[in-house]
């Protein structure tokens, strides 16, 4: 598989009256053709800002991509002109946003908005673009698509709006589809349908997918690789099997232990992560997770751990990852400790 995207030491900061918010602070990863990468973590960990940075959708001011490199097919996205980046968005790289009601224009019909992207990026005439828009709505499972294409976004249900957003994102056959919590606020049945639809579309077009979510369960059967983020930084990176079955970082352990499981009667009570994610203006010294980590030691409070490869293709940003005695089985429940 060829490399589509290479992100190196990406830093995105927001300058506010209270200080500099380091929303993304040194993130690196790569994405291959046909690959699905899941970016997971709690709200405020920097997932969405990472995605917006890839498409240069950071509002300046107050935001600014402060450093790093984003290579799309060996072209530096950060050095592209405004015209080049506009031609890239929606065509080569497309995004499904969290809330389709705020992403779809309420004064234009859904079909028109899909057709607009096709006219702009593919040079289709109005008739051909409208026909393709209807075809895309049918493809994502919208019933009576020719009629519904003439509806406005408020006339669609939540699940239908999300499908409409997916149809718009996939209309130009992008190389990369970024899905920013595409199943948020949808019921579980619709969630499953949306995920199945994305997998089907990926198989049909060969697109790579970046799935952003706070729910590890959503991506268990979908992602090839998983990147776990905390306080704007990567704390673990590996294949889905590695991260799920051999997690290395205490934060990843906490996320997994917070998931409800069908064998909960044998496993015991859920063990949530105590406390809240830190302010990105005032990130704790050393390891940002140490105030919530039941295994923290003095070195965790003073030294920032580097993301290092512990096993082939499996990295962790913890001082103790890889030590034989440091395993998930010996970790006390963080809910039983006092947050610093």
């Amino acid at each position: 598989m060829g490399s589509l995207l290479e992100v190196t030491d990406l830093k995105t900061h927001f300058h506010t009256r209270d200080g500099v918010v380091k929303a993304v602070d040194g993130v690196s990863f790569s994405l291959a053709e046909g690959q699905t990468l899941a970016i997971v973590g709690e709200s405020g960990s920097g997932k969405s800002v990472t995605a917006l940075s890839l498409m240069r959708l950071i509002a300046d001011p107050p935001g600014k991509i402060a450093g790093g490199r984003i290579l799309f097919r060996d072209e530096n996205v950060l050095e592209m002109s405004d015209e080049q980046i506009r031609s890239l968005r929606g065509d080569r790289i497309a995004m499904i946003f969290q809330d389709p009601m705020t992403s779809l224009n309420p004064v234009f019909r859904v079909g028109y908005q899909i057709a607009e992207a096709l006219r702009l990026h593919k040079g289709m005439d109005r008739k051909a673009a409208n026909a393709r828009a209807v075809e895309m709505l049918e493809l994502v499972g919208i019933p009576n698509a020719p009629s519904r294409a003439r509806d406005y976004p408020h006339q669609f249900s939540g699940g239908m709006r999300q499908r409409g957003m997916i149809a718009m994102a996939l209309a130009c056959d992008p190389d990369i589809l970024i899905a920013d919590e595409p199943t948020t606020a949808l019921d579980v049945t619709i969630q499953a349908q949306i995920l199945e639809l994305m997998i089907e579309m990926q198989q049909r077009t060969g697109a790579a997918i970046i799935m952003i979510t706070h729910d590890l369960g959503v991506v268990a059967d979908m992602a090839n690789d998983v990147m776990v983020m905390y306080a704007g930084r990567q704390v673990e990176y590996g294949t889905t099997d590695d991260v799920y079955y051999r997690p290395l970082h205490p934060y990843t352990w906490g996320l997994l232990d917070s998931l409800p499981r069908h064998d909960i009667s044998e496993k015991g009570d859920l063990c949530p992560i105590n406390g809240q994610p830190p302010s990105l203006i005032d990130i704790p010294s050393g390891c940002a997770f140490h105030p919530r980590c039941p295994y923290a030691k003095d070195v965790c409070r003073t030294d920032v751990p580097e993301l290092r490869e512990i096993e082939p293709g499996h990295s962790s940003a913890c001082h103790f990852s890889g030590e034989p005695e440091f395993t998930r089985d010996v970790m006390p429940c963080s809910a039983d400790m006092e947050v610093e």
Side-chain angles (χ1 to χ4, degrees):
M1 292 188 296
S3 178
L4 271 180
L5 188 70
E6 291 281 347
V7 179
T8 306
D9 199 27
L10 177 64
K11 297 180 180 179
T12 303
H13 299 166
F14 293 85
H15 295 267
T16 71
R17 292 179 179 178
D18 296 325
V20 178
V21 178
K22 297 181 179 179
V24 179
D25 195 19
V27 167
S28 301
F29 63 89
S30 62
L31 187 69
E33 295 178 357
Q35 179 188 6
T36 298
L37 169 68
I39 305 178
V40 302
E42 294 168 288
S43 297
S45 61
K47 307 184 302 297
S48 295
V49 176
T50 298
L52 293 172
S53 299
L54 299 180
M55 299 180 70
R56 275 178 46 190
L57 289 173
I58 302 297
D60 182 8
K64 187 175 182 63
I65 298 178
R69 187 173 63 171
I70 303 171
L71 294 182
F72 174 71
R73 293 196 181 279
D74 297 325
E75 292 186 66
N76 195 337
V77 173
L78 300 182
E79 295 178 355
M80 289 182 177
S81 66
D82 291 342
E83 183 178 352
Q84 287 176 311
I85 197 66
R86 279 195 297 268
S87 67
L88 187 73
R89 297 179 189 136
D91 184 17
R92 310 292 298 283
I93 304 177
M95 187 167 180
I96 304 169
F97 296 92
Q98 287 189 36
D99 185 359
M101 198 57 191
T102 59
S103 303
L104 293 169
N105 194 318
V107 301
F108 291 106
R109 303 177 194 274
V110 173
Y112 173 87
Q113 296 185 57
I114 299 173
E116 182 182 33
L118 292 163
R119 294 198 304 272
L120 176 65
H121 293 297
K122 300 301 182 185
M124 291 184 177
D125 59 33
R126 185 176 298 273
K127 182 177 180 180
N130 289 339
R132 174 65 171 166
V134 170
E135 179 186 345
M136 290 304 301
L137 289 174
E138 290 175 340
L139 203 58
V140 298
I142 298 292
N144 195 15
S147 174
R148 299 315 298 262
R150 296 192 294 270
D151 285 347
Y152 291 92
H154 73 271
Q155 295 175 285
F156 275 32
S157 67
M160 289 175 64
R161 284 195 294 268
Q162 198 66 280
R163 289 170 183 266
M165 278 292 298
I166 294 175
M168 186 184 302
L170 294 174
C172 295
D173 294 329
D175 295 324
I176 299 175
L177 175 65
I178 303 173
D180 188 1
E181 303 197 26
T183 59
T184 298
L186 301 179
D187 64 65
V188 292
T189 302
I190 299 299
Q191 281 188 22
Q193 292 174 356
I194 293 294
L195 295 176
E196 288 175 6
L197 174 63
M198 291 176 61
I199 293 172
E200 179 184 338
M201 292 300 174
Q202 183 182 41
Q203 293 171 345
R204 186 189 304 268
T205 66
I209 295 176
I210 298 177
M211 169 71 77
I212 298 170
T213 180
H214 60 271
D215 186 353
L216 281 167
V218 166
V219 297
D221 297 323
M222 185 173 178
N224 304 110
D225 293 336
V226 177
M227 180 170 77
V228 184
M229 291 189 67
Y230 185 79
R233 301 170 184 166
Q234 294 163 277
V235 295
E236 186 160 355
Y237 192 105
T239 67
T240 304
D241 284 347
D242 284 342
V243 173
Y244 273 69
Y245 297 109
R246 295 182 303 280
L248 296 171
H249 197 281
Y251 179 61
T252 310
W253 299 344
L255 291 178
L256 291 168
D257 287 341
S258 298
L259 288 174
R261 292 174 50 167
H262 66 85
D263 59 348
I264 189 65
S265 59
E266 300 175 10
K267 180 174 178 284
D269 294 334
L270 286 177
C271 182
I273 304 173
N274 202 10
Q276 298 293 327
S279 165
L280 297 181
I281 294 177
D282 186 21
I283 297 175
S285 61
C287 175
F289 186 59
H290 86 255
R292 305 173 68 191
C293 179
Y295 209 82
K297 297 183 179 180
D298 288 342
V299 66
C300 304
R301 299 175 177 87
T302 57
D303 297 351
V304 178
E306 296 291 330
L307 185 73
R308 54 196 175 90
E309 190 173 65
I310 308 300
E311 305 168 348
H314 191 185
S315 303
S316 173
C318 175
H319 293 296
F320 307 109
S321 290
E323 294 185 4
E325 68 277 7
F326 190 71
T327 65
R328 185 180 177 189
D329 295 334
V330 303
M331 287 291 291
C333 181
S334 62
D336 297 334
M337 62 171 281
E338 293 185 6
V339 178
E340 295 181 10

